[in-house]
């Protein structure tokens, strides 16, 4: 019946054992055991997980977390064995975009995390743009993934391009930017040096 078809297409919240939840590959956002995490744990102990995670099935079993890495860690620390999730089928690019969008608005993101996230989303958008704009070269030419990322993040295209440059820095220099030992402008300039020159 139409009713049962509508129900099947409707997303449901299901409880999934934490042991079956696996991190997103190359997840750029680090889960830290800081004061914010302690607040999350306290909230989970009192109210449970209020916002379900978003996961997708993995080929080799279990689920990959698209949104909810902090909630999973908080649930573990709170002594829970499972957490509420929405299971959604999605391709790698769609999952990458959703993973970045669900994290990028947080205030405690390090410059290196933001840089990696913008880059991952930009690459995913470029691949999607290349697939969907095959019939119209004019549309493809106008599509700029960095401007698309910028619009979604509420920043300028130049800001996104500057952050993405940080991914060209050696890890030690990225750490210095995260530690506020190197400011953004000189960091971007340093990113144009070859790796051995950066060393």
């Amino acid at each position: 019946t139409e009713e049962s078809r509508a129900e099947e297409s409707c997303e449901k919240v299901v409880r999934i054992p934490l042991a079956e939840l696996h991190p997103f590959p190359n997840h750029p956002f680090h889960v830290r055991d800081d004061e914010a995490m302690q607040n999350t744990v306290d909230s989970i102990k009192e109210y449970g997980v209020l916002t379900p995670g978003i996961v997708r099935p993995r080929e080799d079993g279990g689920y990959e977390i698209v949104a909810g890495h902090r909630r999973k860690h908080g649930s573990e620390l709170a002594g829970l064995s499972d957490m509420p999730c929405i299971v959604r089928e999605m391709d790698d690019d769609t999952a990458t975009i959703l993973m970045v969008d669900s994290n990028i608005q947080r205030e405690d993101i390090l410059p290196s995390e933001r840089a990696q996230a913008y880059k991952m989303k930009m690459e995913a958008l470029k691949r999607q743009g290349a697939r969907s704009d095959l019939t119209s070269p004019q549309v493809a030419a106008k599509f700029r993934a960095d401007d698309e990322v910028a619009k979604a993040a509420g920043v300028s295209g130049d800001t996104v391009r500057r952050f993405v440059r940080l991914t060209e820095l050696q890890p030690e220099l990225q750490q210095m930017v995260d530690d506020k030992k190197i400011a953004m402008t000189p960091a971007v300039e340093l990113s144009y040096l070859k790796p051995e020159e950066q060393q």
Side-chain angles (χ1 to χ4, degrees), residues 10-23 44 48-57 62-73 75-76 80-90 98:
C10 193
E11 292 186 326
K12 295 179 188 72
V13 176
V14 292
R15 296 201 73 83
I16 297 178
L18 299 178
E20 290 182 28
L21 299 175
H22 303 276
I44 289 172
V49 175
L50 298 175
T51 306
I54 299 176
V55 300
R56 66 180 187 157
Y63 300 89
E64 184 178 283
I65 302 170
V66 178
H69 291 81
R70 294 183 78 255
R71 282 165 275 176
K72 179 198 178 206
H73 187 62
S75 295
E76 289 169 338
L80 302 182
S81 59
D82 61 16
M83 84 175 216
C85 295
I86 294 170
V87 178
R88 190 178 290 174
E89 291 285 346
M90 58 185 106
L98 179 62

Side-chain angles (χ1 to χ4, degrees), residues 55-154:
V55 300
R56 66 180 187 157
R58 289 180 359 145
E59 280 180 26
D60 40 358
Y63 300 89
E64 184 178 283
I65 302 170
V66 178
H69 291 81
R70 294 183 78 255
R71 282 165 275 176
K72 179 198 178 206
H73 187 62
S75 295
E76 289 169 338
L77 294 176
L80 302 182
S81 59
D82 61 16
M83 84 175 216
C85 295
I86 294 170
V87 178
R88 190 178 290 174
E89 291 285 346
M90 58 185 106
D91 62 37
D92 291 348
D93 292 336
T94 304
T96 297
I97 292 165
L98 179 62
M99 179 271 301
V100 170
D101 286 350
S102 65
N103 283 284
I104 205 73
Q105 301 306 332
R106 293 203 337 254
E107 282 145 35
D108 59 343
I109 297 173
L110 294 172
S112 63
E113 294 172 332
R114 190 174 296 278
Q116 188 59 37
Y118 283 161
K119 183 177 182 180
M120 287 173 78
K121 183 174 178 183
M122 237 168 63
E123 289 168 352
L125 283 168
K126 280 182 188 168
R127 286 190 297 270
Q128 283 189 337
R131 284 200 301 266
S132 59
D133 298 331
L134 294 174
T135 53
S136 171
Q138 292 87 359
V139 174
K142 284 183 201 155
F143 176 78
R144 291 234 12 191
D146 47 10
D147 289 331
E148 199 66 27
V149 171
K151 195 165 66 180

Side-chain angles (χ1 to χ4, degrees), residues 164-177:
V164 170
R165 283 304 312 170
L166 298 183
T167 64
E168 301 299 323
L169 288 173
Q170 292 296 294
E172 301 83 358
L173 290 176
Q174 283 187 17
Q175 187 62 54
M176 290 174 82
V177 175

